[in-house]
Amino acid sequence: MINSSSSKQVGQDQPATSEPKSQRTKIKMVKSEDSDKRMLNKKLKDVEISIPIVYGNVSFWLGKKASEYQSHKWTVYVRGATNEDIGVVIKRAVFQLHSSFKNPTRVVESPPFELSEAGWGEFEIAITLYFHSDLCDKPLTLYHHLKLYPEDESGPMSSKKPVVVECFDEIAFPEPSEGFLVRVQNHPAVNVPRLHTGFTLPPPVPFEDANRKKRGDTKDHPLSQWFMNFSEADELLQLAAARQQVQAHLAKLRRQISMIDGQHQQLKTISDS
Amino acid sequence: MDAKDILGLPKNSVTQEKKSRPQKDSQRKPDGISREVYALTGGLAPLIPAIEASQLKKRPPSDEKITWQWLPFTNSARKDNLHLYHWVRIVNGVPPTGDYSFAKYNKMWTKEETDQLFELCQSFDLRFIVIADRFPSSRTVEELKDRYYSVARAMLIARAPSPGDISGHPLVKEPYNVSQETERKRALSMVLSQTKQQERKDAEVLAEAKRITESRMVARGAEESELPVPSNAGPESAERAAAIPADTVSPSSNVQQHPSAAVAPSTITVDNASILASLRMLRVYLRTYALDQMVQAASSSAGLRTIKRVEQTLQELGVNLKPRVPTKAVCAEHLELRREILTLLNLQKQLQYKEAEGSSYRDGSYADTPGTPKHLSHGGDQDRTFVPDMSFAGERMGKRDQKRKAPGRLSEAPLPAHKRPRKSKAADL
């Protein structure tokens, strides 16, 4: 009996030893996958990424073809500030128009995030941006007042030159997940701050072939010739100059105050004696 | 009548119905007021009166003699033996017996009930929810708990050799508070049954309230330390204010760098930190929103007039009130500029006060020190030549001051000139 049992054991030994080994390796693989997932879902602190955007509208007077209720043709949009593809961040944009429009809730599922319509009235448009789920599940709403008529009412209206109103802003994500960072590192539409030394991201997955994907950037957009320029450098210069002026005046004031303090001190000692 | 003739109906049966109907009709017609007005009161009375009018008339029984007496009474539900008086209906000279009629509504605990309670407490190990279920008369959990704990407490106190022995016992120290418990449970159930929307609204309101109290505390702290912001702390605060935005993420390190500085600058960083913290709580936000919050926080300690003056100064400097390209760097610079202008305005005010003090000094010491006014007026002249160079803020300040009581810089110069001839007059005299 003992022999038989031992022989049984021996017989079972070989497959028995091989099984646990493969099981062991299988377990090990699953574990590392889990930790990868956890790492990708991990939120990073002190790493705020921002996406500079420009939103607004371009409006053309229809001239001879204008009717009472459709005097202008306009396009409202959200684009990357440098005309890069913001579809990497934004999943879809919902434009909420005036209730007098048919189906006033217009959903745009892919870049370029724009909406064109014809009308006569100016009103506030709410643009709600929905982000990819690995970045943020909460939407963000921008408000833009549609402008059709030029500021200068005296001049003649031209159907060639449109009325353009654009607004610059930055969408900030204070604690992006590591998974998202991996996806967008080195993408031109996203501002990623320099990470702390000693902190390395896993190597990025190579971008899909641009030809296969529809281009989402607005560099060659038909309206791009009307896009306004937003220069951060100019504004920084202006602010620096203003600060310099203020600081100089501050220094002078402090000198004056200390001088007067000294004089008061003098007067006090004289009157006391 | 004619109709019945036509129909050929027998008159007798019909007349009976008619009798009852006219009676009802006369009852329907309200007396004294029109039908419409009567309808306003709630309409017709029920056809069958609840109280027979005839009964109302023949009430007093002939064999009973009814009198009313003003008599004292006690209430068994009260423990203080209070004697009150009320009117009592006496039938044939015999006053009614029995307890005060409303005493039965008092929630009295009989010995029987209490014994039952204690038995249940013993067998169910003080599990009051089960005990409440099994209790014969309907009592709420809080009532049972109250009875049990108050009896237990009374027994403890009675059996203790001295009051000091059991003063530390939890039952004695913290007696069961029925009203508090009922209220607490009611509030808890209300919170539990809140809908998600209500929850969200509550959280929003609480966060807003917290922010408001925080900013108020900062304002109070800034107010208290506003006056003692001495000129020697000025340069430190300006430097530190400039150093802050480069590293908005770690404001605490800035506070550590300048432990000796005045309180006001550090409260500014604390406020900024709370704004940053609340921003980080949002998963996503717009840069313009963040700047708006921080500008509000920075101007929370300033009055409306000061804020207007800051904005005026910005315009004079050719700076947009809202930056045209609000990137992170631009917003930081903009915020710093605003802070510096605020400091500038505060210092200008300080200078004003000091000069006002100075003029009062001059008036007092004028006779003793003839030389000094000239010296001071030279200082005043120096000030005036500075002002035209800085076309913003300063000159405007001086102009406005002339309207106010406190003498401004520009009004100084005439003073010595005005007084000098008088001096010679006095000397002549």
Side-chain angles (χ1 to χ4, degrees):
Chain A
M1 274 210 343
I2 302 165
N3 285 340
S4 61
S5 60
S6 62
S7 66
K8 262 192 198 163
Q9 278 184 351
V10 168
Q12 284 179 346
D13 254 350
Q14 282 178 343
T17 45
S18 60
E19 264 192 21
K21 215 188 247 174
S22 63
Q23 272 181 1
R24 261 185 269 126
T25 45
K26 215 203 284 183
I27 291 167
K28 208 169 110 194
M29 272 167 57
V30 169
K31 250 185 164 173
S32 65
E33 269 172 29
D34 271 347
S35 67
D36 274 339
K37 217 195 249 182
R38 254 181 282 129
M39 188 176 64
L40 289 176
N41 281 334
K42 190 173 75 175
K43 300 245 180 223
L44 297 162
K45 298 214 180 230
D46 294 351
V47 181
E48 182 188 88
I49 66 167
S50 57
I51 292 94
I53 54 162
V54 171
Y55 61 96
N57 75 270
V58 171
S59 148
F60 283 94
W61 180 50
L62 289 171
K64 283 186 284 184
K65 299 187 199 149
S67 70
E68 192 186 342
Y69 290 108
Q70 298 208 332
S71 56
H72 289 73
K73 184 163 168 22
W74 50 265
T75 309
V76 63
Y77 54 86
V78 182
R79 63 176 175 90
T82 47
N83 290 316
E84 297 292 346
D85 179 14
I86 49 175
V88 66
V89 169
I90 297 176
K91 190 164 63 174
R92 71 171 177 276
V94 177
F95 296 87
Q96 185 67 34
L97 304 179
H98 191 265
S99 47
S100 58
F101 281 87
K102 207 164 69 164
N103 303 325
T105 312
R106 307 285 172 90
V107 182
V108 181
E109 299 276 3
S110 66
F113 298 104
E114 65 182 55
L115 173 71
S116 299
E117 260 290 355
W120 59 271
E122 300 181 336
F123 53 89
E124 187 179 80
I125 301 177
I127 312 170
T128 308
L129 303 173
Y130 292 85
F131 307 102
H132 290 291
S133 42
D134 65 343
L135 176 58
C136 179
D137 50 10
K138 220 179 92 173
L140 184 70
T141 306
L142 311 162
Y143 296 93
H144 173 68
H145 186 86
L146 181 70
K147 193 127 174 58
L148 304 179
Y149 303 95
E151 273 302 322
D152 181 18
E153 289 172 26
S154 57
M157 291 222 278
S158 152
S159 58
K160 299 271 161 51
K161 199 155 172 267
V163 169
V164 182
V165 173
E166 282 191 330
C167 194
F168 179 101
D169 213 325
E170 277 190 344
I171 306 176
F173 297 93
E175 281 176 7
S177 67
E178 205 170 305
F180 180 74
L181 273 180
V182 169
R183 186 155 73 84
V184 302
Q185 58 177 333
N186 305 325
H187 192 287
V190 183
N191 285 342
V192 180
R194 236 175 295 153
L195 301 169
H196 305 295
T197 52
F199 183 91
T200 48
L201 286 175
V205 175
F207 283 126
E208 283 179 39
D209 189 4
N211 292 326
R212 271 193 270 145
K213 251 176 114 182
K214 192 178 91 161
R215 279 180 62 185
D217 66 70
T218 44
K219 290 186 186 154
D220 293 328
H221 194 275
L223 294 172
S224 58
Q225 61 175 305
W226 307 114
F227 291 164
M228 290 160 76
N229 272 323
F230 292 91
S231 166
E232 184 188 4
D234 283 348
E235 188 129 29
L236 278 175
L237 260 168
Q238 191 190 56
L239 285 169
R243 283 188 68 186
Q244 237 184 3
Q245 266 197 299
V246 173
Q247 281 161 11
H249 202 194
L250 267 173
K252 281 201 177 118
L253 270 180
R254 287 190 191 113
R255 281 203 293 275
Q256 287 172 354
I257 287 177
S258 65
M259 200 165 65
I260 285 196
D261 278 344
Q263 288 171 349
H264 287 178
Q265 205 52 35
Q266 271 185 6
L267 285 175
K268 236 185 147 238
T269 50
I270 289 168
S271 60
D272 284 346
S273 62
Chain B
M1 286 304 272
D2 301 335
K4 277 166 206 90
D5 274 339
I6 295 167
L7 290 170
L9 290 171
K11 288 181 189 170
N12 292 332
S13 58
V14 178
T15 47
Q16 269 184 7
E17 284 173 43
K18 266 189 110 175
K19 243 190 218 170
S20 56
R21 243 186 280 130
Q23 263 189 359
K24 281 181 191 167
D25 276 335
S26 61
Q27 276 181 357
R28 275 198 197 132
K29 257 187 274 175
D31 292 338
I33 46 177
S34 68
R35 224 184 320 121
E36 286 79 16
V37 177
Y38 187 67
L40 284 173
T41 60
L44 295 166
L47 294 177
I48 302 163
I51 302 167
E52 287 287 307
S54 47
Q55 271 208 350
L56 285 168
K57 285 208 171 162
K58 54 177 167 141
R59 247 321 152 81
S62 44
D63 53 346
E64 289 180 4
K65 249 199 246 177
I66 306 292
T67 49
W68 286 85
Q69 276 187 26
W70 182 252
L71 294 174
F73 71 97
T74 51
N75 187 351
S76 59
R78 289 190 75 95
K79 295 172 204 150
D80 53 4
N81 205 21
L82 175 68
H83 290 271
L84 291 174
Y85 289 79
H86 65 183
W87 286 106
V88 179
R89 187 169 180 265
I90 307 287
V91 184
N92 290 339
V94 180
T97 52
D99 198 6
Y100 182 56
S101 58
F102 295 107
K104 65 178 188 284
Y105 295 111
N106 197 36
K107 293 178 182 165
M108 286 285 288
W109 278 91
T110 61
K111 184 168 190 325
E112 207 189 308
E113 260 193 303
T114 314
D115 287 342
Q116 281 176 333
L117 171 64
F118 269 73
E119 246 184 61
L120 286 172
C121 285
Q122 165 80 5
S123 55
F124 287 113
D125 212 21
L126 287 189
R127 294 202 167 100
F128 282 101
I129 297 189
V130 182
I131 295 168
D133 242 3
R134 301 201 180 219
F135 204 71
S137 47
S138 66
R139 295 263 188 187
T140 66
V141 173
E142 287 80 33
E143 282 176 6
L144 297 173
K145 277 190 180 177
D146 183 35
R147 182 65 180 161
Y148 171 78
Y149 287 123
S150 46
V151 168
R153 187 170 186 267
M155 291 196 338
L156 254 184
I157 294 172
R159 290 176 185 172
S162 80
D165 281 347
I166 39 121
S167 57
H169 195 284
L171 255 181
V172 176
K173 263 204 303 187
E174 286 146 34
Y176 185 74
N177 190 338
V178 188
S179 45
Q180 195 186 57
E181 277 295 289
T182 331
E183 187 54 38
R184 181 183 68 85
K185 287 187 184 174
R186 188 189 67 86
L188 200 61
S189 71
M190 263 180 57
V191 172
L192 194 62
S193 51
Q194 260 185 347
T195 63
K196 248 192 191 170
Q197 267 188 342
Q198 280 176 314
E199 228 180 272
R200 259 192 292 129
K201 273 189 200 163
D202 280 352
E204 274 176 38
V205 170
L206 282 171
E208 192 65 45
K210 191 172 166 209
R211 274 223 11 238
I212 293 173
T213 46
E214 263 177 32
S215 65
R216 275 205 197 134
M217 270 171 42
V218 167
R220 221 171 290 147
E223 256 178 48
E224 286 165 17
S225 50
E226 207 179 56
L227 292 176
V229 171
S231 41
N232 49 4
E236 282 175 23
S237 69
E239 280 165 28
R240 184 178 338 136
I244 289 173
D247 203 19
T248 45
V249 183
S250 52
S252 53
S253 58
N254 286 331
V255 179
Q256 287 163 13
Q257 283 168 16
H258 300 272
S260 57
V263 180
S266 64
T267 52
I268 293 174
T269 34
V270 164
D271 208 17
N272 217 29
S274 74
I275 300 283
L276 285 171
S278 67
L279 284 174
R280 218 174 286 136
M281 293 281 284
L282 308 166
R283 242 88 53 76
V284 57
Y285 62 87
L286 276 175
R287 190 70 65 199
T288 47
Y289 169 78
L291 176 64
D292 200 41
Q293 296 287 302
M294 293 203 245
V295 165
Q296 267 185 40
S299 9
S300 60
S301 54
L304 190 62
R305 218 199 304 179
T306 322
I307 297 170
K308 286 268 191 287
R309 272 159 51 179
V310 169
E311 290 180 354
Q312 245 170 14
T313 315
L314 280 169
Q315 278 172 336
E316 283 164 16
L317 287 163
V319 170
N320 299 315
L321 285 180
K322 288 193 188 250
R324 201 169 154 264
V325 190
T327 62
K328 191 166 175 174
V330 166
C331 289
E333 284 289 301
H334 185 94
L335 201 60
E336 275 325 296
L337 180 61
R338 274 184 185 253
R339 290 203 184 113
E340 282 167 2
I341 293 174
L342 208 59
T343 315
L344 180 69
L345 293 175
N346 286 336
L347 276 187
Q348 277 178 340
K349 216 188 285 185
Q350 246 188 44
L351 186 62
Q352 254 194 308
Y353 289 147
K354 288 194 187 274
E355 285 175 346
E357 279 175 12
S359 66
S360 67
Y361 271 133
R362 256 178 264 133
D363 287 346
S365 56
Y366 178 79
D368 298 328
T369 54
T372 359
K374 275 191 202 164
H375 181 56
L376 281 177
S377 72
H378 274 309
D381 286 342
Q382 272 183 0
D383 289 346
R384 270 188 301 137
T385 51
F386 280 163
V387 167
D389 288 343
M390 300 288 139
S391 57
F392 65 96
E395 197 177 278
R396 194 167 290 228
M397 280 282 298
K399 281 185 190 159
R400 208 177 292 150
D401 296 334
Q402 281 185 323
K403 292 184 190 164
R404 287 201 221 123
K405 276 188 189 171
R409 263 181 273 153
L410 292 178
S411 59
E412 271 172 31
L415 205 62
H418 175 66
K419 292 219 171 177
R420 257 184 245 122
R422 262 216 253 150
K423 183 208 172 194
S424 49
K425 277 189 193 168
D428 288 341
L429 290 168

